[in-house]
Amino acid sequence: MGMLACAGPSTQVPRSEATRAEPVPTAAMLTVLAKDAGGRPLPDIGFQLRRAVAERPEGLWGTTDAHGRSQLRVPSGWYVLTAQPSGYQAFVDPDVRHGSEHPQTVTMTLQPAVAVAGLVVDGARKPIPDVSLSWIPADETAPRLDVVGNPDGHFLFEGMGPGRGVLLVRRRGYSDERRVFDAPPADLTLVLREQGTLRVRGLLPDGSLKRAPELELKALDPVSKQGAWIDASDKDARVYRGVEAGRYRVTFVHPVGEFSKWTTNSEVTVEVGRTRDLDIGFKGLPERAPLRGRLVGGDGRPLSDVGIGAISGDATQDAFASEAWGRTDADGRFALEHLLEGPLRVEVNAGNAKVELDAGAKDASLRFDFRPTVEGRVVGPDGKPLRRFSVDWRTFENPEGRYEIALEGTWPRTLPFKAEGFATTHITVTPSAERTLLPDIVMDEGRTVRGRIVREDGKTATPLIPVALIALWDMEAFLAGSTITTMADADGRFVLEHVPRESMILHASNDLSGTVSRPLGVEEDAVSLRLVPDTTAVGTVADETGRPLEGVRLRSWCKGSFGGSDESDAEGRFSLSSPGGCECVVKVTQTERRADWPLPPRRSFWPLRFKGRPGETVPVHLRPRTGPASVHVSFPEAGEWRRVVLVQGDVPVPSTAEAMNRLVLDAVDPEAESAERRPERRMDDDDSIIYSGMRDNHFSSLPLGRYTVFVVEDRMGLAVRRYPLNLTSPGVHAFEVKRPFDEGAVYLSP
């Protein structure tokens, strides 16, 4: 195995820090103009300018002169300009991008404002005190206005401008009110609906009450926020207070015996200001005789210690459902008790096999052709079984060191065997039968590898350099996890213990001295590493007109998920270190998110590929893509192993996992910001979590043309789904994709 052409710091490996010398932002003249709706200049208009990305920004203040003009010498950067002039609607520009070569002029066209007063009452026309009200104008140069009503129910908005807007009204114990107005309202009286109360009692099969019943409440009609009600206990009931009027589904789950549970659902309507009582339970339900049977494999042999379950009804929809589970004995026999009458759906855990039985079935002698399983023992060097170990990330505790796992996905499969105090052992398995018995896996304490890191000139590098050891088969995975790490000391020396006796990659990186990656042979235990200077991508991020964009987060991705990260400075500049001589892709990962409305414009970027020689500086410049179309891809459910990417053109599924991973590096990743920019929804109201495999994936600002969406799951080899798109018209193109491992996927082995 020869030397690698390029490599760099893994995302799984800490990188020694070096302080980057930040250039002092240069100042330029920023001009502010104020005029009224007729274009006449407005003097004596005060305004504030503050940095958008600073944690505690210091404000700069200014006032327009007799010609409605003000000039300030301001350092480069991203600013938010606000003004609250008397008699006019407040003004905000959240996207003032000011650079030394791009001095900005901000024009405030101020609209006349009025004061809007009103009263908030309940259904009996009694005033409601301390109500929270928000006015969100459709004009995105105007900020939202937030006020709290008086104890007598009256409120006053000052500085409300003309035009459309959304009024939000909130008060604990009442349903939220949202109203749209084409113009500021006058003499406004708002009526809030009182929320209701739902009191639920759970009844056991004998008719007695269940203390603290396990309940779930789900709204069937739209509500302002699911689960916002107060959940409390009251004697033998669960009480939900603050429930908005509408229809709800109540679900009661009750364990029956040790290995069974019953579920019942009931719909209930909650009315404004009233308490609704609901009794829900299982009184008088008929229980069927135990379901007995035997489980055998395709070869007719009994399958022992296999998980099996049976379900009657659908717990999410039907009025009543039941579930029982157990495991087969040495002869493959099982008995499932406490099931309700009705048709049954039997599911076998190994291989996820399923079969339907009619309502009268009492015996379930089942024959299944499983996905292949492997089994065996894990022992130490002395031949004695290890009691605790893991196989393919699943932990086993067995006094005889035994394991059995079903192989999902594709094969051959590389299975990692791990145990504390021993080197990880990787075994490649190609099953030839339904059940494959592997020879004993003998765990080895592994070898100790000692080494020293030096700079290119042979001198000791900066101390405390991280050193990583990476399995060859794990180099391309976008969720790599087979890394052993340590730190070099002040003399550049390091020690790695419990190193497997297999070919691996040794990697070390330092921001000042460079990167080195070299193969570690099976028998090597002493190495010398010489750092090679990194390639540095130095560039700028700017908008469509060339204005510098501060606060943009960028990352370079190279072979094996190696790379660096940075955030653009006040002049839009960034610097990314990458392994010398390695071909890499730079991507914008996430722009700065702010909690205030209005939001700055959303900007999306194409990934950009670059390559440089060791020690070379490569210029890289990013500009937003523009286009009238967007794509919204939804999963049935989120999952951390899943990834959705978009590439330009009609692209087929690559033939290998390595080629698929290269394609993922070049692809467009989903945007972190939601596709829906709702002005009445603050960012802190959004409980969504952004992570790999999120349920909703958005790609915006796409030119018309052909694209391909790939859905990739990297858990047991790559499972890939391909969705070709032809965007022929502007607008949002939305569709839902299947789970990657569902039928019809393409499997690519590592």
Side-chain angles (χ1 to χ4, degrees):
M1 180 173 55
M3 296 292 289
L4 295 183
C6 62
S10 167
T11 55
Q12 304 293 324
V13 184
R15 185 182 178 96
S16 60
E17 295 294 332
T19 303
R20 188 180 74 177
E22 295 286 353
V24 178
T26 54
M29 197 65 70
L30 183 141
T31 303
V32 179
L33 303 176
K35 60 182 181 179
D36 63 16
R40 293 178 292 272
L42 294 174
D44 301 322
I45 301 296
F47 60 88
Q48 181 191 29
L49 197 67
R50 61 177 177 84
R51 290 291 299 273
V53 296
E55 292 185 4
R56 296 182 177 180
E58 295 182 3
L60 299 174
W61 300 87
T63 304
T64 59
D65 60 17
H67 304 286
R69 179 186 179 93
S70 178
Q71 287 190 309
L72 298 86
R73 181 164 290 278
V74 178
S76 301
W78 175 15
Y79 292 88
V80 177
L81 186 145
T82 57
Q84 295 181 317
S86 176
Y88 294 93
Q89 178 182 252
F91 176 89
V92 61
D93 185 341
D95 197 46
V96 178
R97 303 287 186 163
H98 184 62
S100 58
E101 297 181 4
H102 293 83
Q104 294 302 299
T105 297
V106 181
T107 300
M108 297 187 293
T109 301
L110 301 179
Q111 305 289 338
V114 296
V116 174
L119 175 67
V120 185
V121 298
D122 61 17
R125 313 302 289 185
K126 294 182 179 179
I128 303 176
D130 306 323
V131 176
S132 297
L133 302 101
S134 299
W135 172 258
I136 303 96
D139 177 9
E140 289 198 18
T141 65
R144 60 185 282 163
L145 304 177
D146 298 300
V147 299
V148 176
N150 296 328
D152 61 1
H154 287 89
F155 63 88
L156 175 65
F157 279 107
E158 294 183 304
M160 186 179 292
R164 291 173 57 86
V166 175
L167 180 64
L168 295 181
V169 189
R170 294 178 178 178
R171 178 67 162 87
R172 191 179 183 90
Y174 296 84
S175 297
D176 292 355
E177 182 76 10
R178 179 187 187 275
R179 296 180 63 178
V180 179
F181 294 90
D182 291 328
D187 301 325
L188 183 61
T189 298
L190 299 168
V191 180
L192 291 188
R193 299 181 303 162
E194 294 181 65
Q195 294 172 327
T197 299
L198 178 61
R199 188 171 184 271
V200 184
R201 300 194 307 170
L203 302 180
L204 299 178
D206 62 2
S208 63
L209 291 175
K210 168 70 174 177
R211 293 188 62 86
E214 182 181 339
L215 301 175
E216 178 182 301
L217 183 63
K218 182 178 181 180
L220 299 179
D221 296 327
V223 296
S224 61
K225 192 172 184 181
Q226 177 80 24
W229 42 78
I230 301 172
D231 184 355
S233 297
D234 179 14
K235 295 183 180 179
D236 295 323
R238 290 277 289 278
V239 180
Y240 300 93
R241 296 186 176 89
V243 180
E244 294 186 39
R247 296 179 307 119
Y248 293 83
R249 174 180 288 121
V250 181
T251 301
F252 174 26
V253 179
H254 175 61
V256 182
E258 187 177 0
F259 302 106
S260 179
K261 67 179 180 181
W262 291 2
T263 304
T264 180
N265 291 284
S266 180
E267 290 191 12
V268 61
T269 299
V270 177
E271 298 181 358
V272 173
R274 295 189 177 183
T275 297
R276 175 66 188 270
D277 290 300
L278 174 68
D279 286 348
I280 182 173
F282 309 95
K283 184 177 180 180
L285 285 183
E287 180 179 328
R288 62 173 294 149
L291 177 69
R292 305 182 185 277
R294 187 166 182 260
L295 189 65
V296 299
D299 56 4
R301 293 193 308 161
L303 300 175
S304 63
D305 197 30
V306 173
I308 188 168
I311 301 171
S312 69
D314 186 336
T316 63
Q317 297 180 3
D318 297 337
F320 299 100
S322 63
E323 180 179 353
W325 54 91
R327 301 191 74 83
T328 58
D329 62 16
D331 195 36
R333 298 190 180 279
F334 61 87
L336 303 177
E337 301 180 330
H338 304 301
L339 288 163
L340 296 175
E341 290 187 350
L344 294 177
R345 184 170 66 256
V346 179
E347 299 184 357
V348 181
N349 293 350
N352 298 321
K354 300 178 183 180
V355 67
E356 303 285 340
L357 300 178
D358 60 38
K362 297 181 180 180
D363 178 79
S365 294
L366 307 173
R367 185 186 187 99
F368 281 116
D369 293 323
F370 288 107
R371 295 177 181 176
T373 61
V374 295
E375 57 185 277
R377 291 197 317 156
V378 177
V379 300
D382 56 3
K384 295 182 179 180
L386 298 182
R387 299 178 62 90
R388 181 179 175 84
F389 55 91
S390 69
V391 184
D392 198 26
W393 321 113
R394 281 169 276 186
T395 300
F396 292 85
E397 293 193 26
N398 186 285
E400 298 179 358
R402 296 194 176 277
Y403 65 90
E404 180 179 345
I405 61 172
L407 295 182
E408 300 181 17
T410 60
W411 48 85
R413 286 277 309 285
T414 300
L415 303 178
F417 289 75
K418 296 185 177 183
E420 186 176 355
F422 295 94
T424 300
T425 297
H426 295 95
I427 303 296
T428 300
V429 179
T430 304
S432 57
E434 184 177 288
R435 301 169 72 93
T436 299
L437 179 63
L438 297 180
D440 284 354
I441 306 300
V442 181
M443 301 297 288
D444 182 66
E445 292 183 3
R447 50 186 161 145
T448 298
V449 175
R450 303 178 187 276
R452 185 168 183 246
I453 306 172
V454 296
R455 296 188 322 206
E456 188 180 31
D457 58 9
K459 296 181 180 180
T460 301
T462 303
L464 302 180
I465 295 178
V467 181
L469 197 59
I470 307 169
L472 281 179
W473 60 272
D474 210 28
M475 286 287 291
E476 293 290 350
F478 61 76
L479 285 174
S482 299
T483 303
I484 303 173
T485 63
T486 189
M487 298 293 289
D489 63 17
D491 195 35
R493 301 185 185 278
F494 62 90
V495 178
L496 292 165
E497 297 180 330
H498 304 303
V499 176
R501 299 188 183 279
E502 60 184 66
S503 297
M504 304 186 79
I505 298 296
L506 258 176
H507 168 81
S509 181
N510 175 265
D511 286 341
L512 295 177
S513 303
T515 300
V516 60
S517 287
R518 72 180 291 278
L520 178 67
V522 175
E523 300 299 331
E524 279 190 286
D525 56 14
V527 294
S528 178
L529 304 179
R530 188 179 296 270
L531 296 170
V532 175
D534 287 342
T535 296
T536 304
V538 175
T540 59
V541 189
D543 68 5
E544 303 86 342
T545 64
R547 299 187 306 166
L549 298 178
E550 181 184 17
V552 177
R553 299 171 187 173
L554 306 102
R555 187 174 186 88
S556 60
W557 299 87
C558 310
K559 181 180 176 64
S561 297
F562 298 148
S565 61
D566 197 11
E567 182 171 307
S568 60
D569 66 10
E571 291 283 0
R573 298 169 299 207
F574 65 90
S575 176
L576 293 169
S577 293
S578 60
C582 187
E583 195 169 27
C584 301
V585 176
V586 60
K587 296 184 177 184
V588 171
T589 58
Q590 181 180 347
T591 55
E592 188 73 21
R593 302 183 73 197
R594 299 168 57 251
D596 299 329
W597 179 265
L599 300 173
R602 178 192 290 117
R603 297 180 175 96
S604 304
F605 299 81
W606 296 116
L608 188 61
R609 184 167 282 276
F610 68 93
K611 181 179 181 179
R613 295 185 299 275
E616 183 181 9
T617 298
V618 180
V620 176
H621 302 287
L622 287 91
R623 301 294 181 266
R625 65 174 182 261
T626 57
S630 61
V631 172
H632 178 187
V633 182
S634 298
F635 267 127
E637 57 190 23
E640 62 178 324
W641 299 97
R642 298 167 188 163
R643 190 166 184 173
V644 177
V645 296
L646 178 142
V647 297
Q648 293 176 279
D650 190 355
V651 180
V653 177
S655 57
T656 66
E658 182 179 2
M660 185 69 233
N661 278 304
R662 284 199 303 269
L663 182 62
V664 168
L665 284 183
D666 280 311
V668 179
D669 295 311
E671 294 155 356
E673 184 181 315
S674 170
E676 185 181 23
R677 293 165 62 90
R678 291 173 55 188
E680 67 267 31
R681 185 175 185 176
R682 288 186 183 273
M683 286 298 182
D684 51 17
D685 290 339
D686 189 355
D687 55 4
S688 63
I689 300 176
I690 303 301
Y691 67 108
S692 177
M694 53 193 176
R695 189 183 187 281
D696 295 304
N697 302 266
H698 312 283
F699 306 88
S700 64
S701 303
L702 297 172
L704 301 181
R706 293 188 179 275
Y707 298 87
T708 307
V709 169
F710 287 100
V711 181
V712 184
E713 184 161 339
D714 184 14
R715 183 166 46 178
M716 293 158 287
L718 292 185
V720 183
R721 288 188 176 275
R722 173 181 176 271
Y723 297 87
L725 301 174
N726 186 13
L727 305 183
T728 59
S729 60
V732 178
H733 302 260
F735 63 97
E736 184 169 299
V737 299
K738 295 182 179 180
R739 299 173 182 86
F741 272 102
D742 285 350
E743 184 178 354
V746 176
Y747 296 98
L748 303 174
S749 299

